[in-house]
Amino acid sequence: MDISVVQRVIQALELVYAPDTPVNERKAAESACQQLKDDAQASAYGVYLATQSNEFPPMVRHFGLQLIEHAIKYRFSTGKTASKGKMSADDLLQLRTQIWELVFASWTDTQDPQYIREKLVSLVVMLIIRLWPCAQWADLSAQLMQLYTQSDVRRELVLRIWQTLGEELLVYDRDTIAAVRKHELTNGIIGALLPQSAV
């Protein structure tokens, strides 16, 4: 990862969000930020920018989460190996681990801005749609149940994940992969949330 790219992105975001930036400079800064989304390392930059311990301002962290979202949406390939410019299932599994670390850091007793927490929930749901209830994430239900018992904040996290997943499948229809896997995912939700005697 090139740290100079990170510095340029931070400068561009400062221009985008500064109220006194001239329109042409703001558009150039927005364009520079958008170009990073197409970089092969966009998700790595996203994780770096979104990591709480790096102490970036919330606007930078949120942009990092947007980079991750773009990579999941537009660069994920369903195959085991990635074609040029695409993420493989193995890449997505590695990204899943990194996103969980971001979630655990944000969903603690210290309060991150709500929009960052919501974006993290959205990213987890995007991963669930692509990896669960398949063997790639067979223990998701157990992981969420363990989180649910840890604290009130983590309980809210788990409930937001299930809520957002249900809404994505049954209400919004925004994710084409969710539409394709709707039956499988709906059965997974029923199996995860209902007692075994009811299933």
Side-chain angles (χ1 to χ4, degrees), residues 133-154:
C134 306
Q136 295 165 320
W137 205 353
D139 62 342
L140 171 69
S141 299
Q143 288 177 344
L144 291 177
M145 185 54 74
Q146 181 183 14
L147 277 176
Y148 187 84
T149 61
Q150 290 178 355
S151 70
D152 288 342
V153 174
R154 297 274 170 92

Side-chain angles (χ1 to χ4, degrees), residues 52 61 105-114 117 153 156:
Q52 194 175 37
R61 292 183 55 219
S106 180
W107 283 83
T108 60
D109 293 328
T110 60
Q111 292 295 328
D112 250 351
Q114 188 65 26
R117 295 170 71 181
V153 174
E156 179 188 350

Side-chain angles (χ1 to χ4, degrees), residues 107 117-125 157 160-161 164:
W107 283 83
R117 295 170 71 181
E118 290 297 325
K119 181 59 87 173
L120 284 164
V121 166
S122 174
L123 292 176
V124 170
V125 168
L157 164 66
R160 298 296 258 166
I161 289 170
T164 305

Side-chain angles (χ1 to χ4, degrees), residues 44-97:
Y45 284 116
V47 169
Y48 182 78
L49 291 171
T51 299
Q52 194 175 37
S53 62
N54 291 336
E55 299 182 358
F56 292 122
M59 67 179 183
V60 173
R61 292 183 55 219
H62 191 263
F63 180 72
L65 297 174
Q66 290 176 344
L67 289 175
I68 297 168
E69 178 182 48
H70 190 270
I72 294 170
K73 261 188 193 173
Y74 300 109
R75 295 189 59 238
F76 173 64
S77 171
T78 55
K80 192 74 170 156
T81 57
S83 57
K84 183 174 174 139
K86 294 286 188 179
M87 293 173 63
S88 69
D90 290 338
D91 295 333
L92 199 60
L93 289 172
Q94 180 182 357
L95 188 57
R96 177 191 72 181
T97 302

